Amino acid sequence: MPSERLWSLTPVEQRLDSWARRRLEALHGQGRVRGFLLEFAVFTVKQAWACVFGAAMLVLLVTTHLWYPEAAALSRSDALVIGAVAIQALMLLLRLESGRELWVIVLFHLVGTVMEIFKTFVGSWHYGGDGLLWIAGVPLYTGFMYAAVGSYMVRVFRLFDLHFDRYPARWATALLGAAVYANFFGHHYVFDARWVLLAVIVVLYARCTMQFRIHRARPWRRMPILAAFTGVAFFIWVAENIATAAGAWIYPNQADGWELVSLSKLVSWFLLMIISVVLVTFVYRPRPLAETAEVVRGPGHELSR
C-alpha cells in the first residue's frame, strides 16, 4: 500500500488526524459540499499548525512592539531571544516537535544568522535598539525567524504525507541551493544571477508534482511543486510585512516610517524556498507515491508501503 507516515506525527497531530477521519466518516453520504468544506477546514487547521512556531514568533514580535516597557532593564531584543528560546523549549517538552526537526531548525538558524550578519553589514537592512544577545550587529532572535521557515517546512512535509513525482536528483538541487545561497552574498559585488537561478529552478522543477492528502482518510491531491513554492513565498512576504511593522528589522525605505515591503522581495523569498526545500529533503527524502514494499516501523505502529 502507499506510504503511511502516522509514525512520524506528534501526539497532537495524530489526534487531529483521527478527529478529521471521524468527522468525515460521520458526513459520509451527506453531499460533496459538506465534505469539501470539512476537508478545507482540516487543510486550514493543519496549515495553521504547521505555522505554529512562526505564528508564536510573530505574536512575540507584535506584543513586545506594542507593550514592552521602554525603561525595562532587559532590552526588548534580549527579551525576544529569551522568549524565542522558551517557545522552542516548550514545544520540545510538550512533544509538539521532534528532536529530528530540531536539527533542521538549528541548521536554518545558523544559515540565517550568517546571512543576517552579512546583509546588515552591507546595509540591506538594519536593527534598531541594543542589547547583550547580539553578534556582529545582529540580535540573536533573527535566527529564529529563519528557523520558523524550517519548522513550517518539516511540519507540512509530514502533516500532508508529501510525495513527489519526478523530483530532481538531490545532488542537482543541492548544487542549486548552494548557488542560490552564494548569490545572496555575491550579488553585492558581482553579477546578480537571481533571474538565471529562477530560470534554472523552473527547468529543474517544472515536471515535478507534489502529491498530498488533507488527511489519511481522503484521496491524494496533486499540485505542481512550483505553485507550492510560490504560495509559501507569498505568505512569508505577508509575515515579513507584519514583522517589519512590529520593528523586527527595518529596510532603508522604511527609515522614515513603515511602508509595505516591496513585492520584488517575493523573488528573494522564492529563492529562499529553494534553500529551505533542499535542507529539508536531506531529512525527509522525497519519495514518489508509487514506491512500495518498505515496512515502516514507529512507536505503536507497523505500516507497510
Side-chain angles (χ1 to χ4, degrees), residues 206-228:
R207 298 177 64 247
C208 181
T209 57
M210 183 175 72
Q211 295 171 304
F212 63 97
R213 291 184 289 184
I214 305 302
H215 65 88
R216 272 54 174 186
R218 298 300 281 176
W220 294 93
R221 309 297 185 190
R222 288 179 176 270
M223 176 186 294
I225 196 169
L226 289 175

Side-chain angles (χ1 to χ4, degrees), residues 99-117:
R100 192 181 192 186
E101 291 170 2
L102 180 61
W103 285 111
V104 178
I105 290 170
V106 169
L107 185 56
F108 271 80
H109 197 295
L110 294 174
V111 168
T113 300
V114 170
M115 190 162 70
E116 285 290 318
I117 291 172

Side-chain angles (χ1 to χ4, degrees), residues 42-109:
V42 174
F43 176 83
T44 303
V45 170
K46 283 196 170 185
Q47 285 287 345
W49 180 248
C51 297
V52 64
F53 186 86
M57 281 298 301
L58 282 178
V59 169
L60 193 62
L61 288 168
V62 172
T63 54
T64 56
H65 174 68
L66 293 175
W67 295 298
Y68 196 78
E70 293 184 6
L74 183 69
S75 71
R76 181 194 174 214
S77 66
D78 288 349
L80 285 170
V81 177
I82 295 170
V85 172
I87 291 170
Q88 183 66 79
L90 191 63
M91 291 182 69
L92 287 170
L93 289 172
L94 296 178
R95 297 178 64 195
L96 304 179
E97 192 169 76
S98 69
R100 192 181 192 186
E101 291 170 2
L102 180 61
W103 285 111
V104 178
I105 290 170
V106 169
L107 185 56
F108 271 80
H109 197 295

